[in-house]
Amino acid sequence: MNTDEIRSKLARDRFASEALGARIESAGEGHAVAVADITDAMKNAEGSVMGGVLFTLADFAFAAACYASDDVSVTLSSSVTFLTTAKGKHLVAEAVAVRRGRRTNCYRVDVRDELGTEISTFIMNGFVVKLAFRA
């Protein structure tokens, strides 16, 4: 799928696209970038972006990277390390394939703000539900 097709497909992910306002900035084989503007509704009682927001954006980028690789995958497991709070006004999640197999895959997703502050890093393992032919 190309980036426009992925955007159209993931527009149906109503929680990420509507509630969070996430959007796909770019997508290519084994790689995708998703972005979202930080709003007050995303913040916890201490004024930091909620971990669930970071997870949702990372999962959205993971999905886009899988679609860009012609895989339909579901998350099997994920681990996250929260590094610091966002300093900027926008979140950027970049998913990069670590390994893409026939039945499973592994992606690293780094979330930062537009200032370059590294906020969290995820390792996401997926189960490939449908695999397109790869030469």
Side-chain angles (χ1 to χ4, degrees):
M1 276 189 208
N2 65 40
T3 302
D4 288 334
E5 291 171 322
I6 293 166
R7 285 182 184 128
S8 177
K9 175 86 169 172
L10 289 178
R12 294 188 304 219
D13 183 336
R14 296 183 61 199
F15 183 75
S17 63
E18 292 178 20
L20 186 64
R23 54 208 179 274
I24 302 303
E25 187 173 279
S26 64
E29 189 169 329
H31 178 265
V33 176
V35 297
D37 300 327
I38 297 172
T39 66
D40 286 340
M42 296 176 180
K43 295 181 180 178
N44 61 23
E46 296 298 319
S48 299
V49 175
M50 296 280 300
V53 169
L54 301 174
F55 182 88
T56 299
L57 188 63
D59 195 49
F60 198 62
F62 166 75
C66 290
Y67 280 130
S69 301
D70 291 326
D71 295 340
V72 176
S73 298
V74 294
T75 304
L76 276 174
S77 66
S78 59
S79 64
V80 60
T81 300
F82 295 106
L83 303 168
T84 191
T85 60
K87 310 290 188 257
K89 297 179 181 187
H90 312 285
L91 297 171
V92 179
E94 182 174 10
V96 177
V98 175
R99 182 181 184 286
R100 292 175 40 224
R102 294 181 116 301
R103 300 306 294 162
T104 62
N105 54 41
C106 179
Y107 283 77
R108 178 182 171 141
V109 185
D110 294 315
V111 181
R112 62 186 184 284
D113 62 19
E114 82 280 7
L115 304 173
T117 307
E118 295 180 21
I119 300 163
S120 59
T121 189
F122 294 77
I123 298 297
M124 302 187 94
N125 295 289
F127 177 74
V128 179
V129 177
K130 185 173 87 176
L131 178 68
F133 175 77
R134 289 190 200 142

